[in-house]
Amino acid sequence: MGKKKIWAFTWEVRANDRSYHRRVKKKFAFCLSRRKYSGNAIRTAKYNLLTFLPLNLYEQFHRMANVYFVFVILLQTFPEISTLPWYTLLFPLSCLLIIRGLRDLIDDIGRHRSDRSINSRPCEILAGRRFRWQRWRDICVGDIVRLRKDSVVPADLLLLCSSEPSSLCYVETADIDGETNLKFRQALLVTHQELGSEESMAAFDGRVRCEEPNSRLHTFTGTLRWRGRAHALDLERILLRGCRVRNTALCYGLVLYAGLDSKIMRNSGKIKRKKTKLDHLMDRLVVVIFLVLLVTCLGLAVASGFWARTFQEKHGYLAALYQHTSPAQQAFLNFWGFTILLSIIIPMSMYITLEFIYLVNSCFINWDLEMYYGAKDIPAEARSTSLSDQLGQIEFIFSDKTGTLTQNIMSFKKCCINGTIYGNPGWDGSISKGSGLSWEHPGEQKLDVCDVTLLEAAQRDKDPVLREFLRLLALCHTVMVEDRGDQLVYQAASPDEEALVLAARSLGYVFLARTQDSITIRELGRTRTYEVLAMLDFNSDRKRMSVLVRDPQGTIRLYTKGADSVILERLQRRGHNESLTERALDRFAEETLRTLCVASREVSEAEFCDWSRRHREAAVLLQDRAQELDRLYEEMEQNLQLLGATAIEDKLQDGVPETIQLLKLGNIKVWVLTGDKQETAMNIGYACRLLTDDMEILEEKEVSEILQAYWESNNNLSGSGDAPCSLSQQRPEAPCHKRAIIISGDFLDQILQRGEVLKERKGWPWRWLCCDGAEASQDQAGLVEKAFVDLASSCQAVICCRVTPKQKALVVQLVKKHKKAVTLAIGDGANDVNMIKTADIGVGISGLEGLQAVQCSDYALAQFSFLQRLLLVHGRWNYLRICKFLRCFFYKTFAGLLTQVWFAFHSGFTAQPLYDGWFLALYNIFYTAYPVLSVGLLEQDVSDKKSLEFPELYMVGQQDELFNYRVFGVTLLHGVGTSLISFYITFWAFEDHVGTRAVGDYESFSVTVALSALLSVLVEIVLDTQYWTVLSFLMVTASLLLFCLFSFLTQSVDAFRIAPAIFRFPDASWNALTDPYVLLVVLLSLVANTLPSLTAHAFRATLGTASTQQKIHLKAKRDPEPSVELRSHVPRGSFQRRSSYAFSHQEGYAGLITRGDSLRARATPGTGPGACAPRGPRLCPPCPEGTPAVSPLHPKGTPSVSPLP
C-alpha cells in the first residue's frame, strides 16, 4: 500500500529573531541554495527590465508563423535567390512583434503598479521595544505586527492577543473564501495573559514549529514552545493574509508565513499566456502549409532541373551560357527561389490585420451601452485584446457564488404566523411618518417592513402568537450589538440572523443590548430585560438553535428556530395551523425563499432545575460528552408549539436566473465553485435556476458509488479486451441531462491530488491507486479523474462547496485536460484569482470584494447578467468574424498567388514572377485587404436581439464549424480552382489571339491574370458578406480605386524612366485594359469563377437545405422551450433544501456569549491603550488550558451550552 503524504513540521519560526531567519538557507537546485524564509514583498508581474525582451520574444516565437517569417527573411539575405530586399520583410515582422510586445508590456505595467501598491501599504512592526510604522514589504518572518480595526492582515499571523475580551479577534474573510459574515479567532490563553504590553512583546522569545508553507486554507497544525511548555496551535489561532480585522480595536500577531509563502499567495497561481483554439489551429496550419509549400517547391525544382537538361540538349549552341552551372545547381537555386516566391502564401499582413481586428472588436465590447452599469458607472472592459473569438466557443463556465451570483444581502420578505401569511410583493417596505404606523426612538434606523398589515397587527398587540413570534426573533440569536449613539449597529455571525433581528426591529421589537446572562429588548416602546439561562448552539447536525430565558414575570420559556424538518417533528401537536404553515413553507419554497420554522414552549421551574443539573454533569464528562449533550438538547427541545415560519430572500444579482437559462440553452454548462457551505450553495442553485426540482441530485455517496461501479467494470474488462463500460450505463434509470452533482472540497481532494491523500473508506474506488507501483497508480489516478469529469460533464449542473482557491483552479484544469473544452471562469474576489488565471477566459466582476479578480482577468463586467451579451452576442459575432476573415484571407491569397505555380509550367520552371513586384507587394495590403477587414469588423449573421432570442446559435462555435481543417481544405480547393480558371482562360485567350492593339505580351498577360483574380476575389467576398453597411460598401469601392491608382502610379512611363529596375511595367495596365478583347477575357474569367458559388447557393435554395439559423427558427416554432417554473424543490420529508438558518452560520458563538468571552467588561483604571485586554475582574474565571469544559473554545464538533448557576 502507498503511504499517505505527510506534511513535515520543519518550519521553525523564532519570535523577534530576524538574524536567524535571514541566516537559514535551503537547497533548490543541485548545490545552489537560497533563503528559506521569503520576505513579505510579492511579485505577480511576469517581466522586469532585464527579462522583458528575451522572455517576450521567447513567448512570441512560440507562434509558428513568426518562426516561418524569420526563416523567409534569412533566405532573402542570399542575393543568388533573393527576390526582395531582406529588410522589406523585416520591417513588417518587427512591427508585428512590437505591437504584441507593447500590449504585453502595458498589461505587465499594470501588475507592477498593483504589486507596488500592495507592498507599500503601511503597517506597525515591532522594532526594538516599540512599534514603528513601516511598509508591508519590510515585514519578515518572526516579526510581531500590530493591526487596527478595518486593517488588512499583511501576512499569515499567529494571533498573540487582542483588545477584545479573552483576546478574541473578529475577521472578515471575503477575499479568501467569499464569505462576508464575521468569523472569530482567539489567542492562546498563555499569550493572552502574559503579553499585555510592548515590553512583554519585545521580550517574547517563543518558537513555533509547524508545517511547511502550503495552499490548504482550512487546516493548520503546529506547536508554540515558550518557557518550557508546548501549546497546540490550529487554524483558530491563525490570521490569514488577506483577511480584514473587524470590530477589534487592536490585535497583535507573530508572522509565520510571509509574502509568497502565505496561504493565499500559494493559491494565487501563475500568469500564463493564453492562446485561443484558433491560435493553436493556425500554428498547425502554418506547419501544414509550409510542408505543402516545400513539397511544391521541390517538385518545381526537380522539374526545372529536367527542363534545363532537355533544353541544353536541344539547344547546344547555347552551351556557353551554361558552362558554369549544371541542371542540378539550377534546380537547387530554383528550389529556394520558388520558396521565396511562394512564401507570401502565409502573408504577414494577415497577422497584422488580425491584431487590428482583435483591438477594434475589443473596443466594441468596451463601448457596448447594454453592458454599462449606470448605478456604479462601470462599463464593460476588454482587458485582453487577443481572446475575443474564443468568447464564442465557451463550453464550461465556472462561477463563484458570493458576490458573483448573489449580492450576499439577506432580506426578510415573508412570514407565516399562526397560519396567516404576511408579505405583500408590491409593498416597498417604507413607512411615512404621518401614517401613524411608525415610532421614533434613538438608535433606530429607517423602518423597513415586509407588509403594512403585519405592522398594524404588531402595533395592536392583541395576538399572543404574533407577540411570541416577534419576541423570538429578538431573543433567539447570537447577534452582537454596538450602540453608536445615533444608531444601533448589529454584527451577526451570518446575514440570515441579521435579517431576522432587523425584521423584528422594524416591527417594534428592538434588540438593544446583551450581557453574559441577559438580553435587553424594547417591545413596542417598553424596555424589558430577559435573563438568559442557557443557549443551545447550532451545529450542522442539529440544524437549529435554542435559547432558554426567564422573562421579567419569572416565567421560563424555550425559544427555538431551525430547519422545518427538525422543528416540525418536535411539535406537541399537528393541527390546522400547522398544516397551513406547512403549505406556506411550500409556497415560500416555490418562490426560492430561504425558510425557517420558529417554535417555543414554557418550561417549568422544576423541569429546568433537573435539566440544568444533568447538563452540568454532562458538560464535564471526559468520554461521550458530545453525545450526552446532544441527548439533553433533544430532551429539552420537545413538545414545541409552532409559532410560524419566516422566508428570507438571498438576493441574487439582477438577471442571474435568466442569464443561466440562456447559457444552458446555448449548450454551456455552468459549474458553481464556492467556499460556502453546501446547503447555502444548493439554495442559490435553485434560486438561480441552475438546479430544478426534476433533477436527480448526486451527492458524494452516489458519485462514489457510480465511480466505483465504473472502476470495477473497467478493471474486470481490462484483461478481456471488451469495450469499457461507460458512465451512462451505471445508472440507466436517470437521464444524464437531468442530473446534478453536489460535492465538497474534501471529496475533490480524492480526485485532484492523484491519490496522494487517500481515505480509508469502504467503497471508494481510488483507495487502491497505489497498489501496483507509482507508474500504474499515476495512470489509474488519471482514469479516476477522467471518470469523474465524464460523469460531471454529463450532468446539467455541478456545484462544488467548501473549495479552496487552488481547488477551484484544479477543477478548471481537470476539465481542460480531459474534455479539451474551452472554459470560462468568473469571480469577484481574491479567492477567484487562481481560477481566473487557469481558465481559457477569465472574467472579473467589479464587485464589493476589491479589484484583485478584475486585475487578473481578461474581461471585466459589473454584473453576472452581462455575461449573456458578452458570450451570446459579442463572443459569437467575434468568432464568426474571425473565422470568415481567415477563410476569406486564405482564399484570396490562394486565388491570387497560386497562379505563380501554373506560370512556372510555361516559363521553363524558372522562378520568374508572373506579376509585377508592386502588385505582389500591394495585393494583400491594399487591393484585397479592406473588404476582408470589413468582414472581420462588421460581419453579422443575425442581430443582437436574435442572438439572445435563439441562444442555440452559439453551438456553432463550440463545434468549431466555421473554421477547421475541413473548411481550410475547401478554401484551399476553392482558391486553387479560382487561380486555375484565372490563369488558363487568360492563357488560352492569349495563346493564339491578339487584340486590336496587338496585346499579347508578357506584361499584358500578367495584368489580365491579376485583374481576373482580383475581381473574382472581390465578388466572392461580396457574395459571402451577410451584413452590409456603408463602410462595407466603401471598403470594396476603395479596393478597386486603389488598384487603379497604384497601377497608374507604378506603371507610368515617368516612373520607368526614373527607376527602370523598380518600375518594370510601363503603361502595361493602360495598354491591356483599354482593349475590349482583354476586358471580355476578364469578364469570362469572372463569370467562370463566380458561377460555382452562385450554383451552390441556388442548389441549397432549390433543395431546401436550411441554414443553421433557419433550422433553429423552425425548431423554436415547432417545439418551443418550456419555461422553467420555480416549484417546490423536494417533496415533504425528503432531504431538507429549503431551510436557510445556519447554512451560513458558524458554530461556537453561543459558547462565546454565555462564557462572556465576547463581551467587554468595564475598563479598570490601569487599562491603557497598549494593553491587549482588560486585566480587571474576569467574567469567566480562568481555568487550566486544555480542560474541555472550560477551554476558551469548545472542541470542534462539541455543541456548546453554558447554563448559569
Side-chain angles (χ1 to χ4, degrees), residues 864-930:
F864 180 87
S865 59
F866 295 158
L867 199 62
Q868 58 177 295
R869 189 167 179 87
L870 181 68
L871 299 184
L872 302 181
V873 178
H874 289 282
R876 205 179 61 79
W877 279 353
N878 290 339
Y879 173 72
L880 170 72
R881 290 165 181 169
I882 296 298
C883 290
K884 272 201 171 183
F885 167 80
L886 292 174
R887 199 168 66 233
C888 291
F889 212 105
F890 277 122
Y891 166 72
K892 74 182 186 66
T893 303
F894 297 146
L897 302 179
L898 284 182
T899 52
Q900 302 272 11
V901 177
W902 321 132
F903 182 66
F905 285 89
H906 304 279
S907 62
F909 296 102
T910 60
Q912 179 183 351
L914 167 63
Y915 300 126
D916 176 19
W918 286 104
F919 180 84
L920 289 174
L922 300 175
Y923 178 77
N924 279 324
I925 299 176
F926 291 111
Y927 298 163
T928 57
Y930 297 117

Side-chain angles (χ1 to χ4, degrees), residues 96-111:
L96 182 63
L97 296 177
I98 289 172
I99 290 171
R100 288 174 173 166
L102 286 176
R103 184 187 62 201
D104 295 337
L105 180 61
I106 291 171
D107 291 343
D108 209 56
I109 288 174
R111 298 188 195 101

Side-chain angles (χ1 to χ4, degrees), residues 258-406:
L260 299 176
D261 288 335
S262 60
K263 288 182 178 289
I264 188 64
M265 293 307 297
R266 287 272 173 158
N267 277 279
S268 63
K270 295 182 179 180
I271 298 173
K272 303 171 184 176
R273 173 174 288 274
K274 296 182 178 181
K275 294 179 67 175
T276 67
K277 289 180 74 174
L278 287 179
D279 280 336
H280 291 290
L281 178 60
M282 285 297 297
D283 283 344
R284 294 190 289 269
L285 284 180
V286 166
V287 175
V288 171
I289 295 173
F290 181 63
L291 293 177
V292 172
L293 178 66
L294 290 181
V295 171
T296 303
C297 294
L298 182 63
L300 293 174
V302 171
S304 71
F306 283 108
W307 189 90
R309 188 177 66 180
T310 304
F311 184 83
Q312 291 179 24
E313 291 175 353
K314 289 184 177 180
H315 306 280
Y317 54 88
L318 298 176
L321 297 175
Y322 302 99
Q323 60 182 352
H324 300 297
T325 177
S326 65
Q329 290 174 326
Q330 285 188 341
F332 177 78
L333 293 176
N334 282 334
F335 171 78
W336 296 112
F338 278 119
T339 301
I340 294 175
L341 185 64
L342 299 178
S343 63
I344 52 177
I345 292 294
I346 306 176
M348 201 177 299
S349 60
M350 180 179 73
Y351 288 91
I352 298 175
T353 309
L354 202 56
E355 291 294 324
F356 180 74
I357 291 174
Y358 277 127
L359 177 63
V360 175
N361 283 331
S362 299
C363 292
F364 289 157
I365 293 175
N366 298 341
W367 298 337
D368 191 346
L369 293 179
E370 296 293 329
M371 296 195 294
Y372 171 73
Y373 189 51
K376 294 185 179 180
D377 189 27
I378 301 176
E381 181 185 3
R383 297 173 53 84
S384 174
T385 60
S386 60
L387 302 173
S388 58
D389 60 286
Q390 192 145 268
L391 288 172
Q393 298 181 283
I394 302 299
E395 297 178 58
F396 290 86
I397 291 179
F398 301 91
S399 175
D400 180 37
K401 182 188 74 68
T402 307
T404 303
L405 299 177
T406 70

Side-chain angles (χ1 to χ4, degrees), residues 11-25 35-38 125-128 138-145 160 200-208 225 253-256:
W11 190 263
E12 183 176 355
V13 177
R14 301 183 181 182
N16 296 313
D17 191 352
R18 283 196 171 189
S19 60
Y20 167 77
H21 300 107
R22 290 174 176 170
R23 185 173 65 248
V24 177
K25 307 285 185 181
R35 285 175 53 181
K36 179 178 181 179
Y37 302 94
S38 64
I125 307 174
L126 183 63
D138 301 320
I139 294 176
C140 297
V141 173
D143 286 351
I144 295 177
V145 299
L160 298 177
S200 60
M201 294 279 183
F204 179 60
D205 59 352
R207 296 187 180 185
V208 175
R225 292 190 174 273
L254 171 67
V255 178
L256 301 182

Side-chain angles (χ1 to χ4, degrees), residues 39-83:
N40 201 45
I42 62 169
R43 189 175 72 86
T44 61
K46 293 173 62 176
Y47 313 112
N48 56 39
L49 288 175
L50 296 178
T51 61
F52 171 71
L53 192 60
L55 273 182
N56 190 259
L57 288 176
Y58 173 76
E59 290 174 346
Q60 292 211 50
F61 280 102
H62 273 65
R63 295 176 182 264
M64 294 305 300
N66 292 337
V67 177
Y68 171 78
F69 294 143
V70 170
F71 171 73
V72 173
I73 290 172
L74 291 176
L75 290 182
Q76 294 281 26
T77 58
F78 296 96
E80 294 83 358
I81 58 176
S82 176
T83 57

Side-chain angles (χ1 to χ4, degrees), residues 805-868:
K806 188 172 184 179
Q807 285 176 325
K808 291 183 178 184
L810 288 173
V811 171
V812 177
Q813 188 64 42
L814 207 61
V815 173
K816 290 174 63 177
K817 172 184 175 183
H818 293 289
K819 301 304 292 184
K820 309 299 181 186
V822 181
T823 58
L824 181 146
I826 180 169
D828 69 323
N831 56 317
D832 305 312
V833 166
N834 201 351
M835 173 176 70
I836 286 173
K837 290 179 180 177
T838 305
D840 297 298
I841 300 287
V843 178
I845 299 290
S846 304
L848 302 176
E849 299 181 19
L851 297 176
Q852 296 95 329
V854 171
Q855 290 168 350
C856 297
S857 66
D858 304 305
Y859 297 88
L861 302 175
Q863 294 280 292
F864 180 87
S865 59
F866 295 158
L867 199 62
Q868 58 177 295

